[in-house]
Amino acid sequence: MVTDYVDELFNIIKNGFSNFVDFIIELPGLFYDLIEVIPRPFYSILYYFLSLFIFLIVIYAIYKLISTVK
């Protein structure tokens, strides 16, 4: 009786973990599919701002690293 509930609980946890891992593995494909749906002019603008945002994060991280050394 109790073992049935424990077995069912472990199956639910296993399925949830399996679905989470599958989601993480398929996430890059999801982003690629979403980018393919965006029209070209918006894609170029989004690509530019994303690159700029990543560049600013890198510059900020370097600034924080240098400021902690001083």
Side-chain angles (χ1 to χ4, degrees), residues 47-62:
Y47 188 73
Y48 170 75
F49 280 113
L50 186 62
S51 302
L52 181 65
F53 185 67
I54 291 172
F55 177 72
L56 290 175
I57 289 174
V58 169
I59 293 297
Y60 180 74
I62 291 172

Side-chain angles (χ1 to χ4, degrees), residues 28-67:
L30 175 66
F31 285 134
Y32 180 76
D33 291 341
L34 287 175
I35 287 174
E36 287 296 314
V37 172
I38 298 173
R40 259 316 144 190
F42 296 122
Y43 174 77
S44 300
I45 293 169
L46 179 68
Y47 188 73
Y48 170 75
F49 280 113
L50 186 62
S51 302
L52 181 65
F53 185 67
I54 291 172
F55 177 72
L56 290 175
I57 289 174
V58 169
I59 293 297
Y60 180 74
I62 291 172
Y63 169 76
K64 291 299 266 183
L65 184 65
I66 291 174
S67 68

Side-chain angles (χ1 to χ4, degrees), residues 3 7 11 13 18 31 43:
T3 57
D7 188 41
N11 283 334
I13 291 171
S18 174
F31 285 134
Y43 174 77

